[in-house]
């Protein structure tokens, strides 16, 4: 079985993830198979040891930061497990959770998927896959070094979510190891809730009757807490659960034919208001937009400085002096004629909203698109470099990045909220993200500890206002530990208590993902209630999960 090792200084890096938060652990393991994961969980169950699941640790909500106990790192579980082809021709690929997104993309494009040990049916499907038009996996988080297990655990999405949605609809099957090592095998379409009661049967034959929380999820892009709905598919409960309900040990995803033509269009505006008007008008005008992305003046100015200061960024395109905002539109089309038609409609909206075709970049080739992708990814990278430099002076500060979304009718409202409150607080910021989904990452760039405190207070206020607008406090990064307080603001203490009770039904010792989604007070009350029956005290109405 996987060796449980003392958490010595050798494993220092596993205290952290990309949130720049840090935690503590006593032991660590690196299982290489589902059986080894289950063996580790069985060994830790008797003592009730907390277990934090990690993959590549690319998350931004501290979900993979240990909260004491054991770190179970699945990054060495990297095998492809099989393939099948549906009656409609769709290909489905099964894999372990440690498969890295960039590697998956490379193997799909090169049609060179490792298939040792596959059965005859999988090999026949692989042969059909190799003869078919190129297939791809559409989920596109910015960090391509993420593991598939982590992508599923936080219901990640990224730029192309405007067309393809988050990872959720592309996940067709999961194996989930529970805290005691028992296993759930879930296939989309096979088991649904009855209202808000979900009945599951584990591999050992144990029957579970789960009471789902009663909240209504917002009608917007959302990765905030447990997915629940009347009659929901059982698999959806475990997608986006932040490692709190079970350990994902196997994933099956649906692939899609790659678009024949991909064009990228960068539209520049001299005012932010014009860029918002453009976004609202271009969405209904286009039929084949895969992504609609946004970069504000703060982000563009950071790129300008980087281009001048660092040879690593010298390949960035030169920005016009009057470019205040950029909106990037990616078109996924079946033909160049279709792409040309879409581009014409985009141009009409651009002209009507104050943009300029002469100041617009159109990338029709793969080389040109790579340049625009570099432009897009250089923004968060540059901000991280800036914050790391400031941390040398004050190591207590970190980048503060929001992850909130709102319904379409509140796009202008949420931007007004951001701009007004940032100005009142006197904070430096840069904003970018997925404006097609009304989902912008506003990044506060603290210069000192006072700025860091003020930014945290600002985000708490935004969480309340965005929730009142019918939005989500986390649209794609998950809640993890950092946003637990925001989740309580969004759903309210009664619904958070319901969520904690659901966790306690599946994880009766509260071992998995300790610190994620809930504060200790709420979780302990739920565990006591499940252990003691209905007479145990419920969480007080005012209790919330701590950030």
């Amino acid at each position: 079985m996987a060796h449980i090792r003392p958490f010595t200084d050798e494993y220092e890096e596993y205290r952290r993830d990309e949130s720049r938060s840090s935690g503590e652990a006593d032991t660590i393991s690196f299982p290489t198979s589902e059986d080894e994961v289950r063996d580790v969980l069985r060994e830790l169950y008797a003592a009730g040891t907390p277990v934090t699941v990690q993959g590549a640790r690319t998350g931004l909500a501290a979900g993979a930061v240990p909260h004491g106990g054991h770190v179970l790192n699945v990054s060495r579980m990297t095998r492809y497990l099989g393939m099948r082809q549906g009656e409609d021709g769709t290909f489905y690929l099964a894999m372990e959770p440690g498969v890295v997104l960039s590697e998956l993309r490379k193997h799909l494009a090169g049609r060179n998927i490792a298939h040792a040990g596959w059965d005859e049916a999988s090999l026949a499907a692989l042969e059909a896959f190799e003869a078919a038009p190129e297939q791809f996996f559409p989920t596109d988080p910015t960090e391509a070094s993420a593991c598939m297990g982590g992508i599923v655990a936080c219901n990640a999405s990224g730029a192309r979510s405007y067309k393809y949605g988050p990872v959720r609809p592309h996940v067709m099957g999961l194996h989930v190891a529970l805290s005691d090592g028992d296993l759930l095998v879930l296939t989309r379409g096979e088991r649904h809730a009855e209202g808000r009661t979900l009945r599951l049967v584990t591999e050992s034959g144990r029957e579970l009757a789960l009471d789902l929380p009663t909240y209504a999820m917002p009608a917007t892009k959302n990765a905030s807490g447990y997915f629940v709905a009347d009659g929901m598919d059982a698999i959806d409960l475990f997608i986006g659960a932040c490692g709190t309900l079970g350990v994902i040990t196997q994933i099956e995803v649906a692939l899609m034919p790659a678009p024949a033509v991909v064009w990228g269009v960068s539209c520049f505006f001299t005012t932010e208001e014009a860029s918002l008007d453009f976004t609202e008008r271009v969405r209904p005008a286009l039929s084949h937009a895969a992504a609609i992305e946004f970069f504000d003046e703060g982000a563009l100015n950071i790129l300008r400085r980087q281009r001048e200061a660092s040879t690593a960024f010298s390949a960035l395109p030169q920005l016009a002096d009057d470019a205040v905002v950029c909106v990037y539109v990616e078109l996924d089309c079946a033909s160049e004629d279709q792409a040309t038609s879409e581009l014409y409609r985009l141009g009409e909206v651009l002209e009507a909203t104050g943009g300029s075709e002469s100041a617009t970049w159109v990338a029709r080739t793969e080389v040109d698109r790579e340049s625009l992708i570099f432009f897009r990814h250089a923004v968060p990278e540059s901000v991280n470099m800036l914050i790391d430099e400031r941390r040398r002076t004050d190591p207590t500060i970190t980048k503060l990045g929001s992850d909130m979304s709102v319904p379409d009718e509140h796009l202008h409202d949420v931007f007004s909220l951001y701009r007004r409150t940032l100005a009142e607080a006197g904070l430096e910021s840069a904003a970018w993200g997925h404006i097609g989904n009304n989902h912008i990452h506003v990044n506060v760039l603290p210069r000192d500890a006072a700025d860091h405190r003020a930014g945290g207070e600002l985000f708490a206020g935004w969480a309340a206002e965005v929730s009142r607008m019918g939005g989500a406090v986390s649209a794609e990064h998950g809640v993890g530990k950092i946003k637990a307080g925001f989740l309580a603001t969004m759903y309210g203490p009664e619904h958070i208590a319901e969520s904690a009770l659901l966790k306690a039904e599946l994880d009766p010792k509260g071992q998995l993902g300790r610190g994620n989604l809930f504060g200790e007070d709420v979780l302990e009350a739920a565990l006591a209630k499940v252990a003691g029956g209905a007479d145990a005290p419920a969480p007080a109405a005012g209790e919330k999960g701590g950030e």
Side-chain angles (χ1 to χ4, degrees):
M1 65 169 287
H3 180 53
I4 295 178
R5 316 170 189 186
F7 199 99
T8 61
D9 290 345
E10 175 185 358
Y11 304 111
E12 177 69 23
E13 64 185 290
Y14 297 98
R15 298 185 195 278
R16 296 179 292 276
D17 66 7
E18 278 299 310
S19 70
R20 302 321 202 245
S21 302
S22 183
E24 299 295 330
D26 300 315
T27 57
I28 190 169
S29 64
F30 296 90
T32 59
S33 69
E34 179 177 274
D35 286 343
E36 290 188 358
V37 169
R38 299 176 69 186
D39 285 343
V40 169
L41 292 173
R42 290 188 192 104
E43 185 167 342
L44 297 173
Y45 183 72
T49 303
V51 179
T52 299
V53 186
Q54 291 181 347
R57 296 175 293 114
T58 61
L60 297 174
V65 172
H67 193 73
H70 183 76
V71 168
L72 195 158
N73 187 290
V74 300
S75 62
R76 298 180 188 179
M77 296 175 64
T78 58
R79 292 180 302 157
Y80 296 104
L81 302 172
M83 180 177 279
R84 64 185 176 92
Q85 186 175 21
E87 294 181 359
D88 63 354
T90 300
F91 292 97
Y92 302 90
L93 180 61
M95 67 196 74
E96 291 180 323
V99 169
V100 172
L101 177 60
S102 60
E103 293 297 307
L104 173 62
R105 290 173 174 168
K106 185 191 307 180
H107 294 150
L108 291 175
R111 305 170 197 259
N112 59 348
I113 298 170
H115 52 272
W118 284 17
D119 60 24
E120 290 186 8
S122 288
L123 292 173
L126 179 62
E127 186 177 354
F129 163 82
E130 291 171 344
E134 182 183 342
Q135 304 289 305
F136 84 128
F137 177 67
T139 305
D140 185 31
T142 299
E143 188 48 78
S145 64
C147 286
M148 290 297 293
I151 289 171
V152 174
C154 68
N155 191 32
S157 49
R160 289 199 295 253
S161 60
Y162 179 71
K163 178 174 182 177
Y164 301 108
V167 75
R168 182 183 306 283
H170 307 288
V171 177
M172 297 294 112
L174 289 178
H175 285 197
V176 179
L178 301 180
S179 59
D180 61 357
D182 208 349
L183 191 70
L184 288 170
V185 177
L186 304 166
T187 301
R188 186 170 293 283
E190 285 193 354
R191 189 172 292 270
H192 294 82
E194 301 165 6
R196 292 290 173 108
T197 299
L198 180 60
R199 302 181 189 281
L200 300 174
V201 180
T202 69
E203 186 186 58
S204 69
R206 179 160 47 117
E207 296 184 4
L208 302 170
L210 306 176
D211 296 317
L212 302 176
T214 59
Y215 54 74
M217 293 182 296
T220 186
K221 189 177 179 183
N222 179 29
S224 308
Y226 298 137
F227 181 101
V228 292
D230 291 349
M232 64 177 282
D233 195 304
I235 199 171
D236 287 325
L237 176 61
F238 297 89
I239 301 169
C242 286
T244 60
L245 301 181
V247 180
I248 295 169
T249 57
Q250 182 173 322
I251 304 161
E252 183 187 64
V253 298
L255 306 178
M256 301 180 69
V261 175
V262 179
W263 287 1
V265 188
S266 295
C267 309
F268 294 93
F269 300 88
T270 57
T271 69
E272 189 165 86
E273 190 75 11
S275 73
L276 303 184
D277 292 340
F278 170 79
T279 299
E280 290 184 329
R281 293 180 63 170
V282 85
R283 286 187 291 209
L286 299 178
S287 302
H288 301 282
I292 305 178
E293 299 288 283
F294 171 89
F295 306 90
D296 78 346
E297 185 173 17
L300 296 187
N301 284 340
I302 286 173
L303 289 183
R304 287 182 173 104
R305 292 195 295 270
Q306 284 286 64
R307 188 177 186 277
E308 295 301 319
S310 171
T311 56
F313 292 88
S314 60
L316 285 169
Q318 179 75 48
L319 293 167
D321 292 341
D322 64 349
V324 172
V325 180
C326 174
V327 177
Y328 170 80
V329 181
E330 184 173 291
L331 304 173
D332 284 9
C333 299
S335 66
E336 289 201 0
D337 286 346
Q338 189 179 76
T340 300
S341 179
E342 289 281 276
L343 187 61
Y344 178 77
R345 284 192 286 272
L346 186 153
E348 289 182 326
V349 177
L350 184 67
E351 184 176 354
T353 52
S356 168
E357 288 192 27
S358 63
T360 299
W361 302 342
V362 179
R364 294 179 173 86
T365 68
E366 186 172 350
V367 172
D368 288 343
R369 284 199 311 277
E370 287 297 324
S371 176
L372 296 191
I373 290 171
F374 176 47
F375 174 87
R376 192 173 84 205
H377 290 184
V379 177
E381 182 180 348
S382 298
V383 166
N384 287 339
M385 291 169 62
L386 174 65
I387 295 300
D388 286 344
E389 182 178 337
R390 291 179 179 179
R391 280 171 59 85
R392 296 190 186 101
T393 303
D394 186 347
T396 66
I397 65 174
T398 62
K399 180 186 74 174
L400 297 168
S402 74
D403 183 35
M404 303 179 193
S405 64
V406 295
D408 285 354
E409 63 269 23
H410 289 296
L411 178 60
H412 281 267
D413 297 334
V414 80
F415 266 84
S416 295
L417 170 70
Y418 294 153
R419 295 309 176 201
R420 174 177 54 79
T421 53
L422 283 166
E424 290 171 353
L427 294 171
E428 182 183 355
S429 69
W432 62 85
H434 321 302
I435 198 169
N437 298 113
N438 313 300
H439 169 210
I440 300 299
H441 302 300
V442 183
N443 288 261
V444 169
L445 312 178
R447 293 155 290 204
D448 51 34
D451 274 3
H452 194 267
R453 287 192 299 273
E457 293 168 1
L458 198 63
F459 280 18
W462 289 355
E465 290 297 321
V466 163
S467 297
R468 278 193 280 272
M469 294 178 191
V473 296
S474 178
E476 68 175 349
H477 294 159
V479 172
K481 298 172 181 64
I482 289 177
K483 302 172 190 172
F486 298 167
L487 189 69
T489 297
M490 178 176 165
Y491 286 132
E494 292 183 5
H495 291 315
I496 294 300
E498 290 177 338
S499 297
L501 283 170
L502 169 63
K503 172 179 170 56
E505 289 175 350
L506 280 164
D507 179 17
K509 297 183 180 182
Q511 293 172 262
L512 300 178
R514 192 87 185 193
N516 290 349
L517 301 187
F518 316 108
E520 291 292 309
D521 50 359
V522 175
L523 181 57
E524 288 296 338
L527 295 171
K529 186 170 185 179
V530 168
D535 294 334
E543 289 181 345
K544 296 183 179 181
E547 287 183 53

